[in-house]
Amino acid sequence: MMAVTAARRRATGSSTALHGLMAVGGIIMVLFLVAHMYGNLKVFSGQAAFDGYSAYLRTILEPLLPYAGALWILRVILLLSVGAHILAAFVLWHRARAATGGRGGYRYLSTANRRGVQRSYASFTMRWGGITIALFVIYHLLHLTVNVIAPGGASESPYTRMVNGFSIWWVVLSYAVALAALGLHLRHGIFSALASLGANTSTTTRRRYNQAAVLVTAVLLIGFLVPPLCILAGWVGP
């Protein structure tokens, strides 16, 4: 009996650590999104400002670091955060399934009073939403970063690539769909991260966590969606 109790304690502690790892990885990704949104909004300052900002990112800390060195450090940190986030989510999902005979899914927290609807919502937004986002990020990088995919026309100018791409309705639509998946993922993920890292889980505190999650999600979605919509409307362009 004591051995079983000790095993349960280890499993609980391990799950708590995994929730914490997911939370930290998620917070790093949110900070990246804030910085990325800031960069996207520079499109309203014109081509010189947008392209200049893009070039600046590759010269940060020169000559202490080589060209694009700081950018690659940030990319590695982001990739490690994403990897840790996905790994922790998969392990927790697998444990939940094993504990419920294959019927379980991702849960907000390891508490007993969750509803089935909440688990279904969490499972959809965190698993399938995450897959949708991952696929779009690959396309997005090939389009606007690597310059391999060029809807609207290829260009060495990041500003021109962005304007060319978002001048096409289906590109903007795919971007909006990906943002919708991101919004669901963010809203639940931010709430879960705050709840995982927070010591106080009272009803009032959880309500504040939810309000913070909704606010951050809304700001990011609006910030990311406004530039492509304005480009599509013809308000931003060459």
Side-chain angles (χ1 to χ4, degrees):
M1 183 66 179
M2 291 180 64
V4 172
T5 301
R8 287 179 177 175
R9 287 177 178 174
R10 286 195 297 270
T12 301
S14 176
S15 294
T16 300
L18 287 171
H19 277 293
L21 181 63
M22 275 190 70
V24 172
I27 289 172
I28 291 174
M29 286 186 281
V30 169
L31 293 175
F32 164 78
L33 287 173
V34 171
H36 189 30
M37 179 189 70
Y38 167 79
N40 282 4
L41 291 174
K42 280 191 170 291
V43 74
F44 293 107
S45 299
Q47 181 172 356
F50 192 85
D51 288 351
Y53 176 75
S54 179
Y56 165 75
L57 293 177
R58 289 160 175 76
T59 59
I60 295 175
L61 295 181
E62 279 192 331
L64 181 63
L65 293 176
Y67 180 77
L71 190 59
W72 273 107
I73 290 174
L74 293 176
R75 286 170 175 168
V76 169
I77 292 174
L78 181 62
L79 286 173
L80 290 176
S81 300
V82 171
H85 187 82
I86 293 173
L87 177 62
F90 176 79
V91 173
L92 288 169
W93 170 76
H94 181 73
R95 287 182 181 177
R97 284 183 59 85
T100 57
R103 297 185 301 274
Y106 182 90
R107 300 184 180 186
Y108 281 105
L109 292 170
S110 54
T111 55
N113 63 341
R114 299 298 173 209
R115 301 290 190 266
V117 172
Q118 289 176 320
R119 287 195 295 269
S120 297
Y121 167 77
S123 176
F124 175 78
T125 59
M126 302 309 285
R127 186 161 66 245
W128 298 112
I131 293 172
T132 302
I133 295 166
L135 291 175
F136 177 78
V137 166
I138 294 172
Y139 163 78
H140 192 60
L141 289 173
L142 292 175
H143 175 203
L144 295 176
T145 301
V146 185
N147 200 20
V148 171
I149 299 174
S155 175
E156 292 301 318
S157 164
Y159 177 89
T160 302
R161 288 201 299 271
M162 188 171 182
V163 170
N164 288 350
F166 289 134
S167 295
I168 303 173
W169 70 268
W170 61 263
V171 175
V172 176
L173 178 60
S174 66
Y175 192 76
V177 170
L179 283 177
L182 177 64
L184 292 173
H185 198 89
L186 277 176
R187 182 254 171 269
H188 175 71
I190 293 172
F191 171 81
S192 296
L194 292 173
S196 295
L197 296 176
N200 188 342
T201 56
S202 65
T203 301
T204 300
T205 302
R206 291 176 67 81
R207 186 182 301 114
R208 289 174 180 171
Y209 289 163
N210 182 61
Q211 292 170 346
V214 170
L215 177 61
V216 173
T217 300
V219 169
L220 285 172
L221 291 187
I222 293 172
F224 275 110
L225 195 54
V226 166
L229 288 178
C230 289
I231 292 172
L232 183 64
W235 299 337
V236 176

